[in-house]
Amino acid sequence: MTDITLAPIQPDQPSHLMATYGRQAISFVRGRGAYLYTEDGTEYLDALTGIAVCGLGHAHPVIAEAIAEQAATLVHTSNLFEIPWQTAAAQKLAEVSGMEEIFFSNSGAESNEGAIKIARKFGTQQGVRLPKIIVAEQSFHGRTLATLSATGNKKVQDGFAPLTNDFIRVPFGDVEAIQEAALQHPDIVAILIEPIQGEGGINTAPQGFSYLEEVRNICNQHNWLMMLDEIQTGNGRTGKYFAYQHTNIVPDVLTTAKGLGNGFPVGAVMTQGKAVGLLGPGSHGSTYGGTVLGSRVVYTVIDTIQKENAVENAAVVGRYIVDQLRIQLADKNVQVRGFGMMIGIQLPKDCAELVAIARDQHKLIINVTAGSVVRLLPPINMTQAQADDLLERLVALINNYL
Ligand SMILES: *Cc1c(COP(=O)(O)O)cnc(C)c1O
C-alpha cells in the first residue's frame, strides 16, 4: 500500500488545474455500491454514479478484483499483438448488443468520432464527395471538434469555430423535418441520434421509441446509416441492455462508453449490416483502445451485469421509482419521465440550487440538467430498499422546495 497522504484541499490555495469544471467543494474518498463516503465517514446516497458510469455501484468486489489481478499481471501490450481479453470482450458485447463488429476506444466522444468516420467512409465509397449527417436539437455527442459540432447545444460550441460543417440539425422526434432535409441535401449519408437525450433533459421523442422505428424506415428508404449514440443509455441503464432494444429495430452503427467500464475509461463503436467492414487496416486506431486491462474490465462488467440480472433489475426498480415519484409528488407541478434507471423530474422552474440542497441537507447526490430537470442515474443494480431510501430523501427535497 502507498504511504502518501494528500493534504486536504484549501479553497483559497491556487490550483494548477485548468478551470474547465464548476466543482462542488466536497470530495469522496471511498464508495460502496450506491453509497459514497467523505474522509470523516459521512455517508451519501449516490443517485448520479459518476454521471451514468458506475452502473454496478462503487467498488464492486468482482470488478475490483479483476482490475487488481490484471494490473498485477499485464496491463498493456498494444494492438500490434493479439489480445485474447479484447476478443473475449468483443464477443460479449456482440452478444448483448446484436452488433457484428466492435472497435474499442477510451471515451464517449472518441466512440462517436469513430461513428462519424464510418459515416464519411460509407458516403465516400458511394461517390458522395462531402457526406452529411443528420443530428438532433438538444443533443449531446461530446467535446472533440467533430462531436461538439454534432452537439445541439450552442454553449458547447461557443468560441470553437470553425465547426465541421457536415451536420444538418432537425428537431428531436420530427420525422417530417428529416424527410425535408433529404429533399434539400442529396449528400446525406447517415443519422446520429440518442434514443433518450441525457444531457438534453431525459427527453424521449414525443412519439416515444416508435421514433426510432420511423428513423430506421427513413434510413432504409434513402440508404443511410442509422447511428445511435448509446453512450449514456447503454449498458442496462434504461432497463434493456441498449435502449434501442425497447423496439424491434437494430441500428447500423452503435456507440457506447460510460457504463461499459463501470468507471474504467473505455468506449466502443459497433457496426452491423451495411456498416460492417468500412474501417479496415490502417483507417482507424487508438493506442489505448482495448488494452489488456481495459478489455478484461469490459468483459467482467458485462459478465457481472448478466450474472446479477442487473438489466432486469433496472427495469423493475426504475419503474417502481418512477411510479412512486408520480404518486408521492402528485400534488406538485412536476413531470416524471424516464426508463429504467434513467429518470428525469421536470420542475416548473430552474432548480440548479437543488444539487447543493440535496447534498447538504439530505446527503443525496443528484444532478440538474437543462436548467429545470432533476436527473437521476442511480446504480442499475440498486435494491428495492435503496430505492425506498432514495425516494424518501428525494420526495422530502422536492416537497420542501416547491
Ligand atoms: C457523456 C456523453 C458523451 C461523451 O462522452 P465522453 O466520455 O465524455 O467523451 C457523448 N454522448 C452522450 C449521449 C453522452 O451522454
Side-chain angles (χ1 to χ4, degrees):
M1 287 300 271
T2 170
D3 56 2
I4 299 170
T5 312
L6 296 179
I9 294 168
Q10 304 297 336
D12 46 2
Q13 192 182 311
S15 159
H16 293 285
L17 292 172
M18 214 175 268
T20 48
Y21 306 104
R23 293 180 201 273
Q24 301 177 46
I26 187 171
S27 76
F28 301 102
V29 296
R30 200 162 59 79
R32 193 74 181 178
Y35 295 91
L36 285 168
Y37 302 87
T38 51
E39 184 75 62
D40 66 4
T42 310
E43 183 180 87
Y44 292 78
L45 177 56
D46 186 7
L48 185 59
T49 57
I51 320 180
V53 167
C54 304
L56 291 169
H58 299 286
H60 192 291
V62 176
I63 317 278
E65 195 195 319
I67 292 174
E69 193 184 288
Q70 194 58 48
T73 306
L74 185 66
V75 170
H76 172 72
T77 56
S78 91
N79 286 300
L80 298 174
F81 305 100
E82 293 289 345
I83 303 171
W85 278 114
Q86 191 182 113
T87 310
Q91 164 80 37
K92 274 264 184 222
L93 198 47
E95 216 175 273
V96 294
S97 68
M99 305 300 281
E100 275 175 63
E101 277 188 340
I102 289 148
F103 176 89
F104 286 108
S105 66
N106 311 283
S107 68
E110 262 183 82
S111 305
N112 283 340
E113 286 277 343
I116 293 163
K117 281 180 72 173
I118 288 168
R120 287 189 180 182
K121 197 65 175 268
F122 177 71
T124 307
Q125 284 193 352
Q126 289 169 52
V128 180
R129 209 170 56 83
L130 297 172
K132 291 201 154 44
I133 301 169
I134 291 182
V135 290
E137 288 171 5
Q138 278 98 47
S139 62
F140 183 78
H141 297 298
R143 290 176 177 277
T144 60
L145 284 168
T147 60
L148 77 81
S149 301
T151 291
N153 179 344
K154 282 271 172 289
K155 272 193 253 167
V156 173
Q157 300 173 337
D158 197 30
F160 299 117
L163 305 183
T164 68
N165 67 357
D166 48 349
F167 298 105
I168 294 163
R169 202 165 301 284
V170 297
F172 187 56
D174 188 340
V175 176
E176 271 162 36
I178 298 174
Q179 293 289 24
E180 189 90 357
L183 292 175
Q184 281 175 22
H185 305 276
D187 42 5
I188 292 170
V189 297
I191 300 185
L192 173 65
I193 49 170
E194 299 154 84
I196 302 174
Q197 295 184 323
E199 305 304 304
I202 318 285
N203 307 321
T204 44
Q207 64 273 53
F209 286 128
S210 64
Y211 177 52
L212 300 183
E213 288 159 6
E214 293 162 5
V215 168
R216 178 73 269 181
N217 282 338
I218 296 172
C219 287
N220 293 349
Q221 190 188 332
H222 296 287
N223 190 33
W224 298 342
L225 294 181
M226 178 174 183
M227 312 203 294
L228 289 180
D229 177 345
E230 293 231 26
I231 286 157
Q232 189 161 155
T233 53
N235 308 292
R237 177 56 50 195
T238 73
K240 294 281 183 186
Y241 214 101
F242 287 95
Y244 78 79
Q245 292 162 346
H246 289 285
T247 72
N248 290 320
I249 61 107
V250 184
D252 302 301
V253 180
L254 177 69
T255 59
T256 197
K258 293 200 166 94
L260 185 64
N262 210 55
F264 196 89
V266 285
V269 54
M270 303 170 247
T271 58
Q272 68 85 34
K274 59 180 183 246
V276 167
L278 289 165
L279 296 183
S283 59
H284 200 44
S286 166
T287 301
Y288 285 147
T291 61
V292 186
L293 176 57
S295 300
R296 178 153 179 196
V297 172
V298 169
Y299 180 93
T300 309
V301 166
I302 298 173
D303 193 53
T304 306
I305 288 175
Q306 289 175 323
K307 287 187 173 139
E308 289 193 12
N309 291 320
V311 181
E312 296 76 6
N313 184 79
V316 172
V317 180
R319 177 85 256 163
Y320 172 74
I321 293 171
V322 167
D323 287 347
Q324 284 299 314
L325 285 172
R326 286 184 180 146
I327 293 166
Q328 297 187 37
L329 296 171
D331 59 338
K332 300 289 171 193
N333 183 17
V334 301
Q335 192 208 13
V336 183
R337 50 182 185 249
F339 284 85
M341 290 296 189
M342 186 170 182
I343 299 166
I345 310 169
Q346 173 80 61
L347 267 61
K349 58 178 181 180
D350 278 3
C351 60
E353 61 193 340
L354 272 182
V355 169
I357 301 172
R359 183 192 65 221
D360 297 340
Q361 293 179 21
H362 302 273
K363 301 287 177 272
L364 174 64
I365 304 302
I366 56 163
N367 172 249
V368 168
T369 191
S372 57
V373 180
V374 172
R375 179 165 58 156
L376 307 175
L377 300 160
I380 63 170
N381 62 354
M382 177 172 253
T383 63
Q384 181 80 25
Q386 291 168 343
D388 283 324
D389 184 4
L390 169 62
L391 284 163
E392 198 173 311
R393 298 180 202 219
L394 197 61
V395 170
L397 171 75
I398 293 173
N399 271 333
N400 289 343
Y401 188 67
L402 291 181

